[in-house]
Amino acid sequence: MGGRRSAGERLRAWWRAANAVPVPSVAAPGRAAVPYPRLERRAQRVFAKGEEYLLREIVESAPAQHRVAAQGDLSFDVPWIVQPQRARSAMSDDTKGHGVTAAQMQEVVDWLVHEGALRPLTDAHRDELVQSGVEARLPRTAQGWPPTSGSPGYAEAVERSYRESDRDTWVVVPAAMLTVYPHLADATPAWRRVAGRPDRPGASA
């Protein structure tokens, strides 16, 4: 009996749930604290989709740093990074090939570069990332991945996609990115630390 709620309590709980304000996703587009480019309506929708998928990668830019650095054989310390080509590939998978073009994604990148939140790697460092990625994939290639028995050109297309992702690498400037997207301060433990906020109990990355 003690665990049952009264009709009034159930009604109040329903009312709170029905009127709760949805919390937007950390990668929801349109949450920047700086002005967006002036675009016509259709271009705004395309920009927003590119922003959403790029922001997913930005949220994970600290793990991306560790992933790329683990490949080894690099002459420089890998900073926090984002790879727009990975964002485009994820969007293409989710939309069955109806993602944004490279030029459309580049508009989002250029906007963030203008705001100081992204900056390019040098060509020499990009070349190193490409070569490091190729060497890191050799064991998998020796084990038959990607499979050469698939459709003609599949293995070559997969490898080309990996190389394009590594070459399309941009440096994330965390402090400036927080100026653009203040809500990132609660996205992950790494972003919380950049924002000077204490880690939540149990946080590990």
Side-chain angles (χ1 to χ4, degrees):
M1 291 291 292
R4 298 182 61 181
R5 295 188 299 175
S6 68
E9 289 173 330
R10 291 196 298 272
L11 179 61
R12 285 192 293 272
W14 170 84
W15 180 260
R16 286 194 297 270
N19 291 278
V21 177
V23 177
S25 162
V26 69
R31 299 185 67 185
V34 298
Y36 280 92
R38 297 175 63 89
L39 302 168
E40 54 89 15
R41 185 167 298 179
R42 183 182 179 281
Q44 286 177 354
R45 292 196 297 268
V46 173
F47 187 95
K49 291 306 296 181
E51 180 192 14
E52 176 185 357
Y53 276 80
L54 187 63
L55 194 47
R56 294 183 187 183
E57 294 292 320
I58 290 170
V59 168
E60 299 299 326
S61 53
Q65 170 197 38
H66 300 312
R67 183 189 72 246
V68 170
Q71 295 175 177
D73 296 325
L74 296 171
S75 67
F76 63 98
D77 293 330
V78 180
W80 285 24
I81 60 168
V82 67
Q83 296 177 316
Q85 173 63 23
R86 284 174 58 91
R88 290 185 58 239
S89 296
M91 189 190 306
S92 181
D93 290 344
D94 290 348
T95 62
K96 296 181 170 57
H98 297 286
V100 300
T101 66
Q104 290 166 336
M105 181 63 81
Q106 189 61 41
E107 290 183 2
V108 184
V109 172
D110 290 343
W111 168 62
L112 290 172
V113 169
H114 176 74
E115 296 297 335
L118 292 180
R119 62 177 176 80
L121 275 179
T122 67
D123 288 341
H125 287 170
R126 285 178 169 175
D127 289 342
E128 282 191 53
L129 287 184
V130 172
Q131 186 57 38
S132 176
V134 170
E135 293 173 1
R137 289 188 295 275
L138 286 177
R140 284 191 294 168
T141 302
Q143 295 171 3
W145 176 258
T148 55
S149 58
S151 57
Y154 173 73
E156 291 80 4
V158 170
E159 177 59 27
R160 183 166 59 252
S161 178
Y162 282 131
R163 295 186 186 208
E164 288 173 354
S165 291
D166 285 339
R167 190 166 297 284
D168 190 24
T169 297
W170 296 75
V171 176
V172 173
V173 184
M177 192 65 76
L178 283 173
T179 300
V180 178
Y181 296 115
H183 69 279
L184 286 178
D186 288 317
T188 67
W191 281 107
R192 289 181 67 83
R193 287 191 285 272
V194 171
R197 298 187 181 181
D199 287 344
R200 293 192 177 101
S204 60

